[in-house]
Amino acid sequence: MNLTELESLSQRPFFELLQQARAVHEAHWPKQEVQLCTLLSIKTGGCSEDCSYCAQSARYSTGVDAERLLSKEAVLTNARAAKANGSTRFCMGAAWKGVRKGTKRFDDVLDIIRGVSELDMEVCVTLGELGAEEAQQLRDAGVTAYNHNIDTSPEHYPNIVSTHTFDDRLNTLKHVQDAGMAVCCGGILGLGEQAGDRLRMLEILSNLSPHPESVPINVLMPMPGTPLADADPVDSFDVVRMIALARIAMPRAKVRLSAGRTEMSKEAQALAFFAGANSIFYGEKLLTAENPSVQRDLALLEKLDLTPQAPFTDVPPPCRQAELAEALT
Ligand code: SAM
Ligand code: DTB
Ligand code: SF4
């Protein structure tokens, strides 16, 4: 979708926009299901980058200490617990600028991934920048999706981060696609952006070819000590609008109502599901921040007659990925 189309959609009255998004949602996702994804920070804090929203940057005093990479056993224990709780996608995050092949830490992560990929869950990682070879090795180890957000518009990005560029982000996304992993890419609301920046972000996401398999829409969780600690809160109706626009612009994407649900009422979240959200982060913790409890989320889904989505609904499992890649060569 181009910016002009997104602008005219965004000017529609709230309920008309919601109705249109609902129609697209029902045509593509008729099953009333929500994907449950569990996050685990496998390497917390001490990051070289200066993303002004992030508690894990070493440049700010946020109270988040730098930790070492978790052991494979610790990660597998968390992954098994997530599966037992009903989660179907396990997402591992590391506070790194990126990874390089042949380094010990990358080899250790590949080993962790091989272990998690045996648990029959979708395996997602977010490790920062990747080259073509790193992407290939991740895919071979069993990663089904790679999360790498563009976060905001290219115009606003330099106001938020100075240690890497928007184009660096796009390059990594290209390597992820070329390696045959699903792309998980979205952004954050509340970074001091204008309404037009949000539309530009959607324009870029929806013009990735193919559009991302999943699109996390995060709401800034202001982190004490970061430059955005005192940012203005985002109105929940604006979050719902963004979900509706994402649903219309990317009909086949899993649109994930991501960070910031702790600040949204049950009713606002229900509207977001109505508008096209069909995925959440599930479990008490995001990376460093809080998330609603499992009990609370299961109760909400039950009230809304929504059921958890089975794994591999739209992402081929690792074995199929390898077959598909071979068939293409
Ligand atoms: N270091 C990797 C990277 O930057 O791609 C992976 C981890 S990073 C924490 C993953 C994503 O979390 C960011 O791109 C951003 O969208 C989201 N995020 C981080 N801090 C956040 C915050 N305080 N509020 C909302 N979303 C946040
Ligand atoms: C994404 O878009 N949101 C997640 C995941 N991808 C890695 C991270 C949210 C982080 C929220 C702040 C924190 O926990 O520190
Ligand atoms: Fe580092 Fe990622 Fe946080 Fe940026 S968002 S400071 S790259 S962990």
Side-chain angles (χ1 to χ4, degrees):
M1 239 181 189
N2 65 35
L3 190 59
T4 316
E5 291 167 313
L6 283 160
E7 275 165 355
S8 82
L9 259 185
S10 73
Q11 281 156 15
R12 298 195 72 178
F14 186 72
F15 287 125
E16 283 182 26
L17 177 65
L18 251 58
Q19 271 174 318
Q20 185 172 343
R22 185 72 198 164
V24 173
H25 188 69
E26 284 181 345
H28 290 86
W29 301 96
K31 284 193 176 160
Q32 312 289 327
E33 290 176 341
V34 175
Q35 181 192 43
L36 304 180
C37 313
T38 296
L39 266 173
L40 177 68
S41 180
I42 60 169
K43 197 281 166 202
T44 303
C47 184
S48 63
E49 303 305 280
D50 68 354
C51 311
S52 47
Y53 50 78
C54 187
Q56 303 197 70
S57 166
R59 298 172 189 241
Y60 316 127
S61 302
T62 64
V64 174
D65 295 328
E67 290 172 18
R68 297 162 78 92
L69 181 66
L70 294 185
S71 69
K72 183 175 179 179
E73 256 331 295
V75 177
L76 286 176
T77 303
N78 277 277
R80 286 189 200 107
K83 184 172 177 176
N85 266 339
S87 192
T88 55
R89 177 142 152 169
F90 193 63
C91 310
M92 293 166 273
W96 287 325
K97 178 185 178 69
V99 286
R100 188 142 330 132
K101 69 162 187 159
T103 57
K104 176 166 181 340
R105 74 181 195 193
F106 190 47
D107 288 343
D108 288 347
V109 170
L110 291 171
D111 194 39
I112 290 173
I113 290 165
R114 280 184 214 105
V116 175
S117 71
E118 285 170 12
L119 301 180
D120 205 26
M121 285 194 279
E122 292 178 24
V123 183
C124 180
V125 288
T126 179
L127 312 170
E129 274 174 37
L130 296 181
E133 289 171 307
E134 288 80 10
Q136 196 61 44
Q137 290 187 4
L138 287 172
R139 210 259 305 156
D140 293 345
V143 170
T144 53
Y146 195 83
N147 168 242
H148 199 65
N149 292 339
I150 56 172
D151 281 331
T152 188
S153 70
E155 293 75 25
H156 192 48
Y157 200 74
N159 303 326
I160 301 301
V161 185
S162 76
T163 44
H164 55 258
T165 65
F166 195 85
D167 280 348
D168 293 335
R169 303 296 281 183
L170 295 180
N171 273 336
T172 292
L173 293 173
K174 166 115 185 43
H175 296 313
V176 171
Q177 283 186 325
D178 288 350
M181 290 180 283
V183 166
C184 171
C185 183
I188 313 182
L189 307 184
L191 302 178
E193 72 280 1
Q194 305 291 310
D197 291 305
R198 295 179 186 173
L199 302 180
R200 272 285 277 152
M201 178 173 98
L202 287 177
E203 182 188 34
I204 288 164
L205 291 174
S206 67
N207 283 309
L208 291 175
S209 179
H211 72 50
E213 173 263 341
S214 54
V215 178
I217 303 294
N218 297 278
V219 180
L220 177 71
M221 302 186 78
M223 297 297 179
T226 63
L228 287 167
D230 299 318
D232 290 336
V234 179
D235 189 298
S236 291
F237 293 119
D238 292 340
V239 181
V240 173
R241 270 189 176 274
M242 188 70 178
I243 298 276
L245 291 169
R247 170 51 65 222
I248 296 167
M250 293 168 278
R252 284 169 293 104
K254 273 165 240 169
V255 176
R256 187 168 306 120
L257 182 60
S258 300
R261 286 195 301 115
T262 42
E263 297 304 309
M264 288 178 80
S265 68
K266 287 185 297 203
E267 293 78 7
Q269 292 183 63
L271 264 187
F273 292 129
F274 182 85
N278 60 348
S279 177
I280 55 172
F281 286 123
Y282 170 72
E284 264 89 81
K285 199 149 177 224
L286 295 167
L287 293 174
T288 69
E290 301 295 305
N291 201 40
S293 71
V294 160
Q295 291 77 2
R296 199 181 155 87
D297 276 342
L298 291 180
L300 177 59
L301 295 187
E302 200 179 331
K303 280 253 179 230
L304 303 177
D305 299 310
L306 295 170
T307 52
Q309 186 189 63
F312 306 115
T313 303
D314 223 25
V315 186
C319 51
R320 279 289 296 147
Q321 283 191 336
E323 269 172 46
L324 290 172
E326 261 164 42
L328 290 172
T329 50

